[in-house]
Amino acid sequence: MKIETYLGTTEEWKARVAELEATTGITEADIKQWVWILSPQSGDLKIQRFLASECRKPFFLVMLLLAKDKTIKEPAVLMGLLKYIRENYILRERPEDEMNHPAYKEQGRAMSWWHFLVLLYRLVWHVREEWPAVFPVLAHMTAEFIQTIPVDSQSRSMTGAQARSVVLNKALQYFAWPARIRPLVHMEHNWAAQRYLLRLATSSEPPLVIMQNGYRAIRQVLIALSKTKGEARNVERASKTWPPYRRAVDGMDERRPPEDDLSRSSKAGILVREAGYADEFVDRTLSALGGSLFGDSPTIQSRALSPPFFYGSRAGFNIFVEWAAQVKATRNAREAWIVFLNPPEPGLRPDLRVYAEMFDKLFARPVSDHPAIRPGDVKEVFPVHDGNLSKFEIARLTHPTPDELYDMMLQDKLRPAGKCLAILVRNAPSKQEALRYLRDSPFAAYIDPLMNRLKWHDAESMKTLARLPPPIFNAWIRMLCRTHMRKTGEVRLETNKNGLSSQDTTAEMVINDPHLAGEDRVLERQIAKGYSILEAIALTRAFQTYNKRSAYGDKQPWHTIMEALAGPKVLYSRFGALFNPLETLTVFLEIYQRTTISKGVDPIAFEALCVMMRKTLMLSTFVVENGKLAPRQFIAYQSPVENQILRAHRLAREAFRDLVNPVPAEEATGESPDTQ
């Protein structure tokens, strides 16, 4: 139905506009400006036009600009909008143009505390995507707004003091949301925002009340922070055998009170109890990850994101979340296996969450011998200490292999799904094993293109593949990048009697398909030879073509591919081994530009670009002889390498400038209707 049917006739429209202008001061010119502001597809351009326009800007227009389906790529645009909101809705009751109109003089603030919470929700949604460093700025805005709420005000639902506390607790929960990219690294910004609000809570008169969900949000941030010096020493003092009981190393340790062994998260848990809130599964899960409290099962303080919890009728599943957290908060696979065999309640069988954490421990690599790395800091596992255990006890406590644990899971009538399936696929030793896990999962009907590359040219098959959950697809891409055969040292394949390797034989079978074009046949030949990064690139492009939600904001598969190309893997060049680094750099730059143009620059892509340049220069100018690097006598492709390196250097300079200079001068793009 056309919009004209809702607007009515010209006379009816003019009458409605005249009534609107008489009651609110909004004119038809203002409405034209709103249409101009909202017409672009780009979220940045919408906000630029909004800031440049001189029309009336009601609060609903701000909310439209910050809708969750909008993207904001330019930091200057976001900061300009934050400045406008602060000046017009926090420091003032209303924008100046509304204050001058008689219809608004007795209506109070344009943004109530409820409207502010909706606004803050949307702001945090956008900030966590690209700019977690802006969290403290939002905390300052929140503190300023809380102080504008009169303590003695009274509404139908609550007093002003109660409204202040509600805003504080909701803000603490929003500021616990992790960043989309490198959430653990950026959690310090979340903590800076929460800490500023906590100072406001204690200095306000009367003090603001922190409720149970507010305490939980604080603990969720604390468990994701790196250990303090005291917490690191406490982990080192713990006994190396399981359970990790407190161990006194010297006389000073003997004199320390037991409370000194608690982490910040555990101490916050004590505050929750002192505030009168009873422990629930959620609190015990956070205690397991943050280091156990007195009387609880001992765990290792582990740096991790808070797992998702269940509420309402499904709250009973939180017992499995707690059990999974206890398995995670261990130092190696044997300790995890001991916890796995001891459920919170007798007779309770593990679910997929518990199995997922156990698989994660089994697949984890041994930790590097670095004195700054302590248990719980990284995902890698620490060595097992037998102590005085007998050989029988050691055999009894020995954990199963991943295949044995997988058979146990199937015997429990559990099909791999969710996080468990993603871990299995990501760590599968081969595509055949990964396909086995996918065939056993609920997504077996979607994976035909993963088993048969001829399906890539069938639109219906690729649409079906695009229904695969993005975390599972991203795990498949990581597996492909990890199993890519060709490394910086040339890999020689075993050949059969015809002089073809097994991969070559498969390639010949695939490329004989008459439907494939010349370029497709070259790609298929290389993929079939084991060059899985090319397969990952082709699959990701096809997947995001048919999965619009993944194409909209999912950078993870491209990050995985860029990191793999910047690592020890290289792509095959038909011009010879000397040209492999150049081929790898060329493909990398193509992916980098496609990703940053559509999704914006981020630190992971920038770092991968820098590592890629260093790798190309090293492989182009040095060669390994007798285990040592020696300069090459000549570079056969010096000019192409120089051109690509200069191109990469230019891109790196542009990315660095965007990352470190977030607030350039604001400019509006396009002309407003008044100037046309």
Side-chain angles (χ1 to χ4, degrees), residues 639-653:
S639 180
V641 168
E642 288 180 352
N643 292 336
Q644 292 290 46
I645 288 292
L646 289 174
R647 175 188 171 195
H649 183 254
R650 175 178 55 81
L651 294 173
R653 290 180 60 186

Side-chain angles (χ1 to χ4, degrees), residues 23-293:
T23 55
T24 64
I26 296 174
T27 64
E28 188 171 6
D30 292 330
I31 298 175
K32 290 181 179 179
Q33 285 277 313
W34 299 348
V35 174
W36 174 72
I37 290 171
L38 298 175
S39 58
Q41 293 293 326
S42 169
D44 297 284
L45 185 53
K46 284 183 172 71
I47 297 176
Q48 287 176 342
R49 291 185 173 187
F50 174 86
L51 297 175
S53 176
E54 298 297 332
C55 68
R56 291 281 298 275
K57 302 170 184 176
F59 186 68
F60 80 86
L61 196 59
V62 179
M63 300 296 283
L64 286 176
L65 298 176
L66 290 172
K68 290 168 62 176
D69 61 342
K70 304 295 187 297
T71 56
I72 306 175
K73 298 179 181 178
E74 295 295 331
V77 172
L78 177 66
M79 297 305 294
L81 183 60
L82 292 179
K83 180 181 178 182
Y84 175 86
I85 293 171
R86 179 175 181 269
E87 292 178 349
N88 290 274
Y89 291 101
I90 296 179
L91 301 183
R92 291 183 183 147
E93 289 190 352
R94 290 179 175 274
E96 189 173 359
D97 54 359
E98 288 189 4
M99 292 292 292
N100 296 333
H101 194 275
Y104 299 101
K105 286 188 176 180
E106 304 298 331
Q107 292 192 12
R109 299 193 69 88
M111 184 171 63
S112 65
W113 64 266
W114 186 86
H115 291 109
F116 176 79
L117 288 179
V118 178
L119 175 71
L120 184 64
Y121 175 93
R122 297 189 178 186
L123 286 172
V124 173
W125 177 270
H126 288 283
V127 164
R128 69 194 290 240
E129 293 285 339
E130 301 286 349
W131 311 287
V134 182
F135 272 116
V137 177
L138 299 184
H140 282 256
M141 290 177 55
T142 303
E144 289 178 330
F145 181 80
I146 288 175
Q147 292 172 334
T148 64
I149 303 176
V151 177
D152 55 354
S153 63
Q154 181 70 45
S155 65
R156 290 179 297 177
S157 57
M158 61 183 66
T159 64
Q162 291 172 327
R164 284 184 165 199
S165 295
V166 169
V167 173
L168 171 75
N169 283 271
K170 278 293 184 182
L172 289 175
Q173 294 174 58
Y174 295 158
F175 294 154
W177 292 355
R180 295 289 188 187
I181 299 176
R182 293 184 175 174
L184 293 178
V185 175
H186 292 299
M187 195 58 71
E188 60 181 276
H189 304 302
N190 300 65
W191 177 232
Q194 286 189 344
R195 195 167 60 243
Y196 187 84
L197 292 183
L198 292 176
R199 286 197 295 266
L200 171 70
T202 57
S203 61
S204 297
E205 187 59 42
L208 304 182
V209 179
I210 302 177
M211 292 175 274
Q212 187 175 32
N213 286 333
Y215 280 116
R216 288 173 176 172
I218 295 169
R219 299 188 71 188
Q220 289 172 3
V221 172
L222 289 175
I223 63 174
L225 298 176
S226 57
K227 293 182 178 67
T228 63
K229 290 183 179 180
E231 291 172 341
R233 288 195 62 192
N234 290 337
V235 172
E236 292 175 347
R237 291 190 189 100
S239 62
K240 296 185 181 298
T241 56
W242 190 263
Y245 291 124
R246 170 181 174 174
R247 186 166 55 96
V249 179
D250 51 33
M252 296 296 293
D253 289 342
E254 292 283 359
R255 298 178 58 183
R256 284 187 309 110
E259 290 77 10
D260 287 355
D261 287 339
L262 298 178
S263 66
R264 289 172 292 177
S265 176
S266 299
K267 292 175 181 177
I270 294 177
L271 293 178
V272 177
R273 294 179 178 179
E274 292 177 350
Y277 297 108
D279 265 0
E280 298 178 3
F281 287 119
V282 175
D283 306 290
R284 291 199 290 272
T285 301
L286 297 175
S287 294
L289 294 173
S292 54
L293 291 171

Side-chain angles (χ1 to χ4, degrees), residues 224-482:
L225 298 176
S226 57
K227 293 182 178 67
T228 63
K229 290 183 179 180
E231 291 172 341
R233 288 195 62 192
N234 290 337
V235 172
E236 292 175 347
R237 291 190 189 100
S239 62
K240 296 185 181 298
T241 56
W242 190 263
Y245 291 124
R246 170 181 174 174
R247 186 166 55 96
V249 179
D250 51 33
M252 296 296 293
D253 289 342
E254 292 283 359
R255 298 178 58 183
R256 284 187 309 110
E259 290 77 10
D260 287 355
D261 287 339
L262 298 178
S263 66
R264 289 172 292 177
S265 176
S266 299
K267 292 175 181 177
I270 294 177
L271 293 178
V272 177
R273 294 179 178 179
E274 292 177 350
Y277 297 108
D279 265 0
E280 298 178 3
F281 287 119
V282 175
D283 306 290
R284 291 199 290 272
T285 301
L286 297 175
S287 294
L289 294 173
S292 54
L293 291 171
F294 303 125
D296 293 341
S297 300
T299 57
I300 295 295
Q301 180 188 353
S302 302
R303 190 180 186 188
L305 297 177
S306 173
F309 297 104
F310 298 91
Y311 297 94
S313 60
R314 305 186 67 194
F317 290 105
N318 285 329
I319 190 173
F320 296 104
V321 180
E322 179 192 0
W323 190 2
Q326 292 175 349
V327 174
K328 183 183 184 69
T330 53
R331 293 169 292 197
N332 50 58
R334 177 191 287 181
E335 295 177 357
W337 180 241
I338 294 173
V339 178
F340 183 91
L341 295 177
N342 290 273
E345 295 182 3
L348 188 67
R349 297 299 302 168
D351 73 341
L352 284 178
R353 300 171 193 82
V354 185
Y355 272 108
E357 296 299 340
M358 190 65 223
F359 277 119
D360 220 10
K361 289 293 181 182
L362 293 177
F363 287 123
R365 298 174 300 174
V367 70
S368 60
D369 188 15
H370 195 287
I373 299 178
R374 299 175 178 85
D377 289 346
V378 291
K379 184 176 289 188
E380 288 80 3
V381 294
F382 280 71
V384 174
H385 289 268
D386 295 330
N388 59 352
L389 297 178
S390 64
K391 292 183 179 180
F392 174 80
E393 188 67 11
I394 293 174
R396 188 181 69 85
L397 297 177
T398 300
H399 55 80
T401 64
D403 287 340
E404 292 171 343
L405 185 65
Y406 186 74
D407 291 337
M408 290 178 54
M409 187 178 73
L410 295 181
Q411 290 174 7
D412 280 339
K413 298 181 180 180
L414 294 174
R415 300 171 66 188
K419 180 181 178 181
C420 183
L421 178 59
I423 291 173
L424 289 169
V425 172
R426 183 169 62 242
N427 294 281
S430 65
K431 285 193 284 188
Q432 289 71 25
E433 281 295 313
L435 286 171
R436 173 197 174 194
Y437 301 137
L438 289 170
R439 283 193 292 265
D440 291 341
S441 74
F443 311 111
Y446 307 154
I447 64 172
D448 276 352
L450 303 182
M451 296 186 290
N452 184 0
R453 286 193 294 275
L454 296 179
K455 296 284 187 178
W456 293 10
H457 307 280
D458 181 13
E460 291 301 320
S461 297
M462 296 309 296
K463 287 180 182 179
T464 303
L465 176 67
R467 297 170 59 187
L468 201 66
I472 307 302
F473 177 80
N474 295 342
W476 179 267
I477 296 301
R478 184 173 290 274
M479 181 274 300
L480 290 178
C481 293
R482 182 175 50 80

